[in-house]
Amino acid sequence: MEVFIIRLLQFMLSISLLVLLHEGGHFFFSKLFGVRVEKFYLFFDPWFHIFEWKPKNSDTRYGMGWLPLGGYCKIAGMIDESFDTEQMKQPVQNWEFRAKPAWQRLLIMIGGVLVNFLLALFIYAMVLYAWGDQYMSTADMTMGYKFSPEAKALGFQDHDILMGYDGKEFKKFDVDLYRHLADAKTVEVKRNGKTVTLDMPGDLSLLNMLQSTPPFARPFVPAEIDSVMPDSPAQSIGLQRGDRLLAVNGKPVDSWNEFTYQIGILNDMMTEAKTPADSMKLRTIQLVFAHNTDTAGISREWPRQLSEQLSAPDTATVVLTPELLLGVGQTSIYTYYKPTDVSYGFLESLPAGIKYGWNVLRGYVGDLKYVATADGAKSLGGFGTIGSLFPAQWDWHQFWLMTAFLSIILAFMNILPIPALDGGHVLFLLYEIITRRKPSENFMIRAEYVGFAILILLMVVANLNDILRWLHIM
């Protein structure tokens, strides 16, 4: 429950900040061009509001609604989600949106998107200034990667070190690496000290690469034990820090990737268990392991001969916990490699933040092509998915990174040419500027209804996916 509350608070703070500033962008340009703003709200207020306040001699009512699905800046003389058609029947006033030149109306409509995009770049810059950047260099991963059968069919081999693609260098181990692999025509790997070039199809599915079991490629991390929990199954058979797992139920295990995969198979079989005896049988596994004879503990050197630092293999039968846990802490890439740290001065952080934010936007836009696929539609997530992306403990570094990412999403989604979104209004304004003809008010009202229906449908699908995942149906 505590984790849920922490994530909820971070989510609400982040969304509130982004919505206020987004609507503030519309508000700023409206006031700049003398357009009256009748209502400025955080969240929507169907039927009632939490509070409302109208300053003396002001035309604007400020308030907070109860439905946290966005915000609202009601601009006089404009057809929007309020569907206020009565106002549009009145004579045009010079302080109304519809009375202003098209270029001013265009700036008013892109104001929110502009603020969100600039805000994301600013946050990224300040995050780099305050915390710097840390990443794992792909070239430093001398143990290479573990590859899925699909990857091996393309010519990859376990322990290949990813070096470059299409004449460019891999730099970081992050999601961009998978994007580059998906789109690459050729990939260069280092294998046994030699560079090998692999031909690639150039149109791999990023979703399949990330969601497949085992994954398309993951850094090779030896199945060496980092720690043993007290009173755990691992302690009962004498496992210690530095020991290495070699096999599970007769299946060879050379990395934590393989160990996790084998436990995943058992987990799938547990869903079919009908009796406690069936469950106990699945939980009882045969484990092959070797003790580390090096008193220094876990070695950072690779490769190394097993005979030099590992005892003869030993076999033991152990009963896992009901959650199929062995009770060990796993080593990770951080056990064997030191990450690259980059710090930025204030002036250096500004162009670095812009570059970082632009790369995030480019990756997000590129990934949208998967939404039209069946798997892509299933991957859509609603408020639950977004909230789960925030850390389980309050972490300002991760909070601001997530807020910047959501700001970019909010900017991009709002600029899409869908009626009821800012991008729909921009599309019609561009039509007016080019043709010098305004779309009719009846057309605008119908378009607003259609756009609103599309948004509601997308919201229902995304949040339904969350519910189905929570129920383990999808």
Side-chain angles (χ1 to χ4, degrees), residues 22 112-114 116-117 120 358 360-369 371 404-418 421-424:
H22 176 91
V113 168
L114 183 63
N116 279 134
F117 185 63
W358 182 254
V360 171
L361 175 62
R362 185 174 57 185
Y364 177 74
V365 173
D367 295 345
L368 284 179
K369 63 187 177 185
V371 174
F405 179 60
L406 291 179
S407 192
I408 280 183
I409 293 177
L410 188 60
F412 180 78
M413 295 302 293
N414 265 283
I415 205 62
L416 291 176
I418 299 174
L421 291 178
D422 296 341

Side-chain angles (χ1 to χ4, degrees), residues 13 62 141 165 168 207 239 247 308 376 382 405 421:
L13 176 60
Y62 301 90
M141 294 184 180
Y165 64 100
K168 302 174 185 177
L207 276 180
L239 288 175
E308 293 180 1
F405 179 60
L421 291 178

Side-chain angles (χ1 to χ4, degrees), residues 47 83 94-95 275 303 324 403 472:
W47 304 296
F83 301 107
N94 62 359
W95 37 260
T275 66
L324 296 183
T403 299
H472 303 290

